[in-house]
Amino acid sequence: MRFIVFTEAGTLRGQTHHRRYWDLVEEAVFAEEMGFYGWGTSEHHFYRELAATPSPEVLFTAVAMRTSRIKLRYMSRLISAIHPILVAEQTASTDIMSNGRVELAVARGNTLLQLDAFGISLDDTQERAEEALDLIVRALSDQSFSHDGKHWGKIPERELTPNGLQEPHPPLYKIGQTIDSIKDARRRGLGLITCDMWMGWDTLGEYLDAYNSVALSEIDPVGRFVTKSAAAMSITTRCAKTNDIALEQAERDLKMFATLIIRDLYVQLAERSPEGYGQFDRLVELRDRVDDVEWLRTAGPTVMIGDPEHLVHQVQRMKEMGADEVVLRIDNAPHEVIMETLENIGRYVIPYFSNPNAVLRSGPVGLLPGDPRQELSYEDTAKVVN
């Protein structure tokens, strides 16, 4: 089970984007020290406090120069709006600066705040994204490429500059939020990242089953190789000594995100494009629950807030459902809170999945098997350590 930190440079009111960016780099360096497999940020525009990452390639370069092992995953690029040649150039450049650690996830984009500003019709995003991804792959992989398409026009033969380090291109992933989109990801040979599982664990199970059930004979990869990976994403993650402390630390971010997603974003999508996003009208029934933080904390896999034991149980459930990665958005909080969550996950959660035999589970010498003192709680362990 691979653990990936996800941030969008969420910036608290009263703070500056300048300070948040530099704190973000420090968090990525610490995530590598704590044993995380990957670190990533998405591409977002105009969100001010919630997501301040319009130029992710800049952040990737800064993190690459301070780390040596951790994978750097674009989580995701807005390929329905941003020119695919630009995305390919930036991917190749950061692949060089990271010595081949870059991974690329893409999304069609579903936030009207961004799409309307770029003049992109919601109904065109899927076609634009599919055409863009094909062009990105050819630009990264082939000696030269050209294009003549519906949405990105006619491009004469050119050679991408610079050439990236990974051959033929970095691993490719896709954000999936519908059964059709998820099956399409697998058929096209893309890794999957689920998102916004507000409808609960059953929905995550349906999504992972849909991805893992696609037959090998159905796969026709858009890339030069198949990326087989299914990640479950937690939108709000906090890990503290107790569930109550973690919930207190997460309450602001949890309410903000739940309000944005449940009350605003997806309802707007369902109203603007019933054919493409009609399934999100199910979230209407949750609109009265966005202020109930305890319900939100336990409603499903999209929220992971609690002590290490709670997180271990949730990740184990994801693993049993068929996920082999967990993407944890640890953001929109004071820097010290984010660092505490990274440390608690690195010390007490990741080892259960990366090296379970090394996790100390027995008590003092001489206790018989089954003695209740043989298994220390997290709080007791923390007292011993401290």
Side-chain angles (χ1 to χ4, degrees):
M1 196 70 172
R2 295 185 293 269
F3 287 73
I4 301 172
V5 180
F6 174 38
T7 179
E8 294 176 317
T11 305
L12 303 178
R13 295 179 186 182
Q15 192 182 32
T16 65
H17 289 133
H18 167 260
R19 185 65 266 160
R20 182 68 193 104
Y21 269 36
W22 284 99
D23 285 347
L24 180 152
V25 173
E26 184 178 342
E27 291 156 14
V29 173
F30 190 54
E32 178 175 82
E33 180 182 339
M34 285 292 102
F36 284 81
Y37 166 84
W39 173 91
T41 186
S42 58
E43 176 184 351
H44 277 297
H45 304 265
F46 314 118
Y47 267 107
R48 300 292 291 165
E49 62 178 312
L50 193 62
T53 51
S55 305
E57 74 283 354
V58 175
L59 293 170
F60 273 58
T61 301
V63 171
M65 300 304 290
R66 294 278 305 278
T67 57
S68 60
R69 176 194 57 78
I70 197 166
K71 299 290 185 180
L72 308 179
R73 183 179 298 176
Y74 285 101
M75 193 92 63
S76 55
R77 294 306 307 263
L78 186 61
I79 61 171
S80 64
I82 307 303
H83 201 289
I85 293 179
L86 182 61
V87 173
E89 290 172 338
Q90 293 169 350
T91 301
S93 298
T94 48
D95 197 40
I96 290 172
M97 299 308 296
S98 65
N99 286 317
R101 288 182 283 139
V102 161
E103 300 178 347
L104 176 62
V106 297
R108 58 191 284 191
N110 58 16
T111 54
L112 302 180
L113 182 69
Q114 300 178 112
L115 296 176
D116 288 349
F118 285 111
I120 306 300
S121 168
L122 189 61
D123 294 330
D124 291 339
T125 55
Q126 183 172 350
E127 284 189 358
R128 291 177 64 89
E130 289 176 354
E131 184 180 327
L133 181 57
D134 176 71
L135 178 52
I136 290 168
V137 168
R138 288 188 289 112
L140 288 170
S141 306
D142 298 342
Q143 181 65 37
S144 64
F145 65 94
S146 60
H147 185 73
D148 189 0
K150 175 180 178 181
H151 296 286
W152 298 104
K154 189 175 181 63
I155 301 170
E157 187 169 4
R158 293 291 186 268
E159 295 184 18
L160 191 74
T161 304
N163 294 326
L165 189 61
Q166 297 181 75
E167 294 185 357
H169 54 71
L172 302 174
Y173 299 79
K174 177 185 178 181
I175 303 292
Q177 293 178 288
T178 67
I179 293 293
D180 289 342
S181 175
I182 286 165
K183 287 185 175 181
D184 176 72
R186 180 64 178 133
R187 291 189 184 107
R188 304 184 77 196
L190 305 174
L192 169 68
I193 304 172
T194 67
C195 189
D196 296 337
M197 298 289 98
W198 295 102
M199 296 305 295
W201 287 97
D202 289 345
T203 301
L204 176 62
E206 292 172 4
Y207 284 8
L208 294 174
D209 287 345
Y211 181 79
N212 290 317
S213 65
V214 173
L216 291 176
S217 60
E218 298 180 57
I219 298 174
D220 182 18
V222 64
R224 300 297 186 261
F225 60 90
V226 172
T227 299
K228 174 65 167 67
S229 178
M233 179 186 291
S234 168
I235 291 297
T236 299
T237 304
R238 297 288 186 275
C239 187
K241 290 185 177 181
T242 69
N243 291 332
D244 289 341
I245 294 174
L247 186 57
E248 181 181 356
Q249 293 176 347
E251 182 173 357
R252 176 184 179 275
D253 182 53
L254 183 57
K255 284 184 175 180
M256 181 183 296
F257 230 98
T259 300
L260 172 69
I261 299 298
I262 296 175
R263 285 186 178 170
D264 300 326
L265 174 60
Y266 287 158
V267 174
Q268 292 176 4
L269 291 174
E271 292 173 349
R272 179 82 71 91
S273 180
E275 183 176 345
Y277 292 94
Q279 77 277 6
F280 290 137
D281 60 9
R282 296 180 301 166
L283 292 174
V284 172
E285 63 191 75
L286 304 181
R287 296 178 98 176
D288 294 333
R289 309 301 298 268
V290 296
D291 294 321
D292 186 345
V293 292
E294 182 56 34
W295 181 85
L296 291 171
R297 188 182 79 86
T298 58
T302 202
V303 175
M304 197 172 293
I305 298 170
D307 62 19
E309 183 179 3
H310 177 76
L311 266 66
V312 166
H313 287 317
Q314 282 196 291
V315 174
Q316 181 63 34
R317 191 171 180 179
M318 292 172 173
K319 182 179 180 180
E320 291 171 356
M321 285 183 166
D324 52 24
E325 291 186 343
V326 56
V327 174
L328 303 173
R329 178 181 165 274
I330 307 172
D331 201 8
N332 198 28
H335 175 57
E336 60 272 17
V337 170
I338 293 174
M339 295 290 275
E340 178 186 348
T341 287
L342 292 171
E343 181 169 12
N344 285 331
I345 294 174
R347 288 186 183 276
Y348 304 111
V349 180
I350 292 177
Y352 273 86
F353 300 92
S354 63
N355 192 6
N357 290 332
V359 177
L360 185 64
R361 302 169 192 266
S362 60
V365 174
L367 291 183
L368 296 174
D371 189 300
R373 291 171 294 173
Q374 196 160 22
E375 289 288 334
L376 295 178
S377 68
Y378 167 73
E379 286 185 278
D380 290 334
T381 303
K383 291 176 183 177
V384 172
V385 172
N386 294 331

